[in-house]
Amino acid sequence: KNGQASRLLVFLGRFCGIKVVNVATDDLGAKEYGAYCSLIWSSLTSNEERDAILAENKERFARLAVKLREENFDRACVFGTGPSLSKTHEFKYGHSLNIVCNSVVGNKELLDLLKPRFICAADVVSHLGVSTYAHQFRQDLIGVLRQRDTVFVTTANFGALILYHYPELKEKVLLIDQTCADPNYDLVAHYGSPRLDSIMNILMLPLAATFSKTIWMLGCDGK
Protein backbone atom coordinates (compact mmCIF):
# COMPACT_ATOMS: atom_id res chain seq x y z
CA LYS A 1 0.00 0.00 0.00
CA ASN A 2 2.73 2.45 0.95
CA GLY A 3 4.70 1.45 -2.14
CA GLN A 4 1.73 2.16 -4.38
CA ALA A 5 1.20 5.52 -2.71
CA SER A 6 4.87 6.42 -3.20
CA ARG A 7 4.77 5.51 -6.87
CA LEU A 8 1.62 7.60 -7.30
CA LEU A 9 3.30 10.62 -5.71
CA VAL A 10 6.32 10.23 -8.00
CA PHE A 11 4.04 9.94 -11.03
CA LEU A 12 2.01 13.03 -10.10
CA GLY A 13 5.12 15.10 -9.54
CA ARG A 14 7.17 13.93 -12.53
CA PHE A 15 4.56 13.58 -15.23
CA CYS A 16 1.64 15.78 -14.14
CA GLY A 17 3.52 18.70 -12.61
CA ILE A 18 1.46 18.39 -9.42
CA LYS A 19 3.20 19.26 -6.15
CA VAL A 20 2.31 16.76 -3.44
CA VAL A 21 3.26 17.27 0.21
CA ASN A 22 2.68 14.69 2.91
CA VAL A 23 1.11 16.34 5.96
CA ALA A 24 -0.53 13.26 7.43
CA THR A 25 -0.72 13.79 11.18
CA ASP A 26 -0.44 10.05 11.86
CA ASP A 27 2.76 9.66 9.82
CA LEU A 28 5.88 10.36 11.89
CA GLY A 29 7.88 10.73 8.70
CA ALA A 30 5.66 13.50 7.40
CA LYS A 31 6.78 16.09 9.97
CA GLU A 32 3.40 17.76 9.53
CA TYR A 33 4.06 20.10 12.44
CA GLY A 34 7.02 21.61 10.59
CA ALA A 35 5.77 21.39 7.02
CA TYR A 36 2.30 22.89 6.90
CA CYS A 37 3.20 26.52 7.61
CA SER A 38 5.80 26.60 4.84
CA LEU A 39 3.55 25.12 2.17
CA ILE A 40 2.31 28.44 0.82
CA TRP A 41 5.87 29.66 0.31
CA SER A 42 7.51 26.43 -0.83
CA SER A 43 4.73 24.78 -2.82
CA LEU A 44 2.07 27.34 -3.73
CA THR A 45 4.29 30.30 -4.61
CA SER A 46 6.23 30.24 -7.87
CA ASN A 47 9.95 30.94 -8.10
CA GLU A 48 9.16 34.22 -9.86
CA GLU A 49 6.73 35.27 -7.12
CA ARG A 50 9.21 34.39 -4.38
CA ASP A 51 11.97 36.35 -6.11
CA ALA A 52 9.68 39.37 -6.45
CA ILE A 53 8.63 39.23 -2.79
CA LEU A 54 12.23 38.95 -1.58
CA ALA A 55 13.34 41.79 -3.86
CA GLU A 56 10.62 44.03 -2.47
CA ASN A 57 11.60 43.16 1.11
CA LYS A 58 15.25 43.83 0.31
CA GLU A 59 14.36 47.29 -0.99
CA ARG A 60 12.28 48.11 2.09
CA PHE A 61 15.08 46.97 4.37
CA ALA A 62 17.62 49.06 2.46
CA ARG A 63 15.45 52.16 2.88
CA LEU A 64 15.01 51.45 6.59
CA ALA A 65 18.74 50.81 7.00
CA VAL A 66 19.59 54.26 5.61
CA LYS A 67 17.40 55.90 8.27
CA LEU A 68 18.73 53.73 11.09
CA ARG A 69 22.38 54.25 10.17
CA GLU A 70 21.81 58.00 10.22
CA GLU A 71 20.97 57.64 13.92
CA ASN A 72 24.57 56.54 14.57
CA PHE A 73 23.84 54.13 17.42
CA ASP A 74 26.41 53.60 20.17
CA ARG A 75 25.80 49.86 20.04
CA ALA A 76 23.34 47.15 19.13
CA CYS A 77 21.79 45.10 21.94
CA VAL A 78 20.49 41.56 21.41
CA PHE A 79 18.04 40.21 23.98
CA GLY A 80 17.26 36.52 24.22
CA THR A 81 14.72 34.98 26.59
CA GLY A 82 17.07 33.19 29.00
CA PRO A 83 17.19 33.70 32.78
CA SER A 84 19.61 36.62 32.63
CA LEU A 85 16.93 38.66 30.84
CA SER A 86 15.62 39.38 34.34
CA LYS A 87 18.67 41.64 34.82
CA THR A 88 17.66 43.94 31.96
CA HIS A 89 16.74 46.77 34.32
CA GLU A 90 20.21 46.72 35.91
CA PHE A 91 21.88 48.25 32.85
CA LYS A 92 21.74 51.54 30.99
CA TYR A 93 21.77 51.21 27.22
CA GLY A 94 22.20 54.80 26.12
CA HIS A 95 21.61 55.35 22.42
CA SER A 96 21.40 51.70 21.41
CA LEU A 97 19.55 49.77 18.73
CA ASN A 98 17.67 47.06 20.60
CA ILE A 99 16.59 43.72 19.14
CA VAL A 100 14.26 41.34 20.97
CA CYS A 101 12.76 37.99 20.14
CA ASN A 102 10.04 35.46 20.72
CA SER A 103 7.88 35.73 23.84
CA VAL A 104 9.20 39.19 24.75
CA VAL A 105 6.30 40.50 22.63
CA GLY A 106 4.06 39.70 25.60
CA ASN A 107 6.15 41.67 28.11
CA LYS A 108 4.84 45.25 28.00
CA GLU A 109 7.19 46.45 30.74
CA LEU A 110 10.25 45.23 28.87
CA LEU A 111 9.02 46.64 25.57
CA ASP A 112 8.46 50.02 27.21
CA LEU A 113 12.00 49.97 28.60
CA LEU A 114 13.85 48.78 25.49
CA LYS A 115 11.71 50.23 22.70
CA PRO A 116 13.07 47.62 20.28
CA ARG A 117 13.53 48.52 16.63
CA PHE A 118 13.37 44.86 15.60
CA ILE A 119 11.47 41.81 16.83
CA CYS A 120 12.64 38.43 15.57
CA ALA A 121 10.92 35.04 15.65
CA ALA A 122 10.64 32.08 13.29
CA ASP A 123 9.87 28.93 15.25
CA VAL A 124 7.60 26.66 13.26
CA VAL A 125 5.89 25.28 16.37
CA SER A 126 6.01 27.99 19.03
CA HIS A 127 5.26 30.95 16.77
CA LEU A 128 3.56 29.65 13.62
CA GLY A 129 2.03 26.46 14.96
CA VAL A 130 -1.51 25.54 15.97
CA SER A 131 -1.05 25.53 19.75
CA THR A 132 -2.65 27.95 22.19
CA TYR A 133 0.84 29.25 22.99
CA ALA A 134 1.54 30.04 19.31
CA HIS A 135 -1.84 31.72 18.95
CA GLN A 136 -1.13 33.96 21.94
CA PHE A 137 2.30 34.83 20.55
CA ARG A 138 0.76 35.94 17.27
CA GLN A 139 -1.91 37.99 19.02
CA ASP A 140 0.75 39.74 21.11
CA LEU A 141 2.94 40.27 18.04
CA ILE A 142 0.16 41.78 15.95
CA GLY A 143 -0.73 44.13 18.81
CA VAL A 144 2.88 45.27 19.20
CA LEU A 145 3.30 45.88 15.45
CA ARG A 146 0.14 47.95 15.32
CA GLN A 147 0.98 50.04 18.38
CA ARG A 148 4.75 50.47 18.37
CA ASP A 149 7.54 51.73 16.13
CA THR A 150 9.11 48.35 15.50
CA VAL A 151 9.53 45.85 12.67
CA PHE A 152 9.04 42.09 12.75
CA VAL A 153 11.88 40.21 11.02
CA THR A 154 11.41 36.54 10.19
CA THR A 155 12.44 33.84 7.72
CA ALA A 156 10.62 33.91 4.41
CA ASN A 157 9.69 30.23 4.22
CA PHE A 158 7.77 30.30 7.51
CA GLY A 159 7.02 33.97 8.09
CA ALA A 160 5.22 34.50 4.78
CA LEU A 161 2.23 32.85 6.43
CA ILE A 162 1.86 35.88 8.73
CA LEU A 163 1.43 38.22 5.77
CA TYR A 164 -1.19 36.02 4.16
CA HIS A 165 -3.28 36.45 7.30
CA TYR A 166 -2.38 40.10 8.00
CA PRO A 167 -1.60 41.79 4.65
CA GLU A 168 -2.24 45.20 6.21
CA LEU A 169 1.00 44.77 8.22
CA LYS A 170 3.18 44.41 5.13
CA GLU A 171 5.19 47.53 5.93
CA LYS A 172 5.91 46.25 9.46
CA VAL A 173 7.22 42.81 8.43
CA LEU A 174 10.50 41.88 6.75
CA LEU A 175 11.00 38.44 5.20
CA ILE A 176 14.57 37.18 4.77
CA ASP A 177 15.59 34.02 2.95
CA GLN A 178 18.27 31.76 4.45
CA THR A 179 20.88 31.87 1.71
CA CYS A 180 24.22 32.00 3.57
CA ALA A 181 26.49 29.11 4.46
CA ASP A 182 28.54 31.45 6.67
CA PRO A 183 27.65 34.28 9.08
CA ASN A 184 26.42 37.51 7.53
CA TYR A 185 27.63 40.76 9.07
CA ASP A 186 25.88 43.17 6.70
CA LEU A 187 22.33 42.56 5.53
CA VAL A 188 22.48 45.62 3.29
CA ALA A 189 25.40 44.19 1.32
CA HIS A 190 23.72 40.78 1.12
CA TYR A 191 20.08 40.41 2.07
CA GLY A 192 20.18 36.81 3.23
CA SER A 193 20.57 35.04 6.56
CA PRO A 194 22.66 32.00 7.59
CA ARG A 195 21.30 28.48 7.25
CA LEU A 196 21.39 27.86 11.00
CA ASP A 197 18.83 26.98 13.65
CA SER A 198 18.93 29.57 16.43
CA ILE A 199 17.01 32.80 15.88
CA MET A 200 20.00 34.60 17.42
CA ASN A 201 22.33 33.27 14.71
CA ILE A 202 19.83 33.44 11.85
CA LEU A 203 18.48 36.96 12.32
CA MET A 204 19.39 38.80 15.51
CA LEU A 205 23.18 38.89 15.23
CA PRO A 206 23.16 39.68 11.48
CA LEU A 207 20.82 42.59 12.20
CA ALA A 208 22.97 43.80 15.09
CA ALA A 209 26.20 43.57 13.07
CA THR A 210 24.60 45.49 10.20
CA PHE A 211 24.14 48.56 12.39
CA SER A 212 26.98 48.44 14.91
CA LYS A 213 30.43 47.01 15.51
CA THR A 214 29.68 46.90 19.23
CA ILE A 215 27.12 44.28 20.27
CA TRP A 216 25.81 43.59 23.75
CA MET A 217 23.90 40.42 24.56
CA LEU A 218 21.62 39.55 27.44
CA GLY A 219 19.25 36.65 28.00
CA CYS A 220 21.29 34.46 25.66
CA ASP A 221 22.24 31.99 28.39
CA GLY A 222 23.77 28.76 27.20
CA LYS A 223 24.01 29.80 23.56
Side-chain angles (χ1 to χ4, degrees):
K1 182 178 180 181
N2 290 336
Q4 291 177 342
S6 297
R7 287 193 292 274
L8 175 61
L9 295 181
V10 171
F11 175 81
L12 291 173
R14 183 174 300 173
F15 300 105
C16 302
I18 298 175
K19 295 183 179 180
V20 180
V21 181
N22 181 6
V23 291
T25 56
D26 59 351
D27 182 356
L28 294 178
K31 296 183 179 178
E32 177 273 343
Y33 66 89
Y36 86 93
C37 73
S38 66
L39 292 183
I40 292 178
W41 182 260
S42 62
S43 299
L44 301 178
T45 305
S46 69
N47 291 335
E48 293 76 14
E49 290 172 325
R50 288 197 293 268
D51 289 343
I53 292 171
L54 290 172
E56 180 186 4
N57 278 263
K58 178 182 178 179
E59 290 178 6
R60 283 198 288 113
F61 178 74
R63 292 195 299 270
L64 175 61
V66 170
K67 295 179 180 179
L68 291 178
R69 283 177 167 172
E70 288 176 351
E71 294 194 39
N72 194 27
F73 293 101
D74 297 329
R75 66 190 64 80
C77 298
V78 172
F79 297 87
T81 57
S84 65
L85 188 64
S86 63
K87 299 181 179 181
T88 302
H89 295 80
E90 298 178 13
F91 302 94
K92 294 186 181 300
Y93 305 98
H95 183 49
S96 62
L97 181 143
N98 297 330
I99 305 168
V100 301
C101 68
N102 304 346
S103 58
V104 173
V105 294
N107 190 327
K108 183 179 182 300
E109 183 181 4
L110 207 56
L111 293 174
D112 287 342
L113 173 66
L114 298 176
K115 297 178 176 57
R117 297 301 185 97
F118 295 110
I119 298 171
C120 300
D123 189 275
V124 66
V125 176
S126 300
H127 306 136
L128 298 163
V130 298
S131 68
T132 301
Y133 180 91
H135 171 72
Q136 185 60 55
F137 166 81
R138 291 191 295 271
Q139 294 302 108
D140 291 338
L141 172 65
I142 299 308
V144 169
L145 294 180
R146 286 173 173 166
Q147 299 166 13
R148 297 176 183 267
D149 181 20
T150 189
V151 174
F152 177 52
V153 185
T154 185
T155 54
N157 57 333
F158 296 145
L161 185 63
I162 292 287
L163 290 182
Y164 283 103
H165 286 280
Y166 302 97
E168 72 277 10
L169 293 176
K170 179 180 177 180
E171 296 300 317
K172 301 297 294 286
V173 176
L174 284 169
L175 304 180
I176 299 181
D177 207 11
Q178 291 180 260
T179 59
C180 304
D182 299 312
N184 185 1
Y185 304 103
D186 189 345
L187 289 170
V188 174
H190 175 74
Y191 192 68
S193 62
R195 299 187 189 96
L196 298 171
D197 295 323
S198 165
I199 193 66
M200 182 175 73
N201 296 320
I202 297 172
L203 294 173
M204 300 179 78
L205 288 177
L207 281 168
T210 297
F211 296 103
S212 179
K213 292 184 178 181
T214 301
I215 301 174
W216 290 3
M217 293 186 288
L218 191 64
C220 301
D221 313 86
K223 297 293 185 184

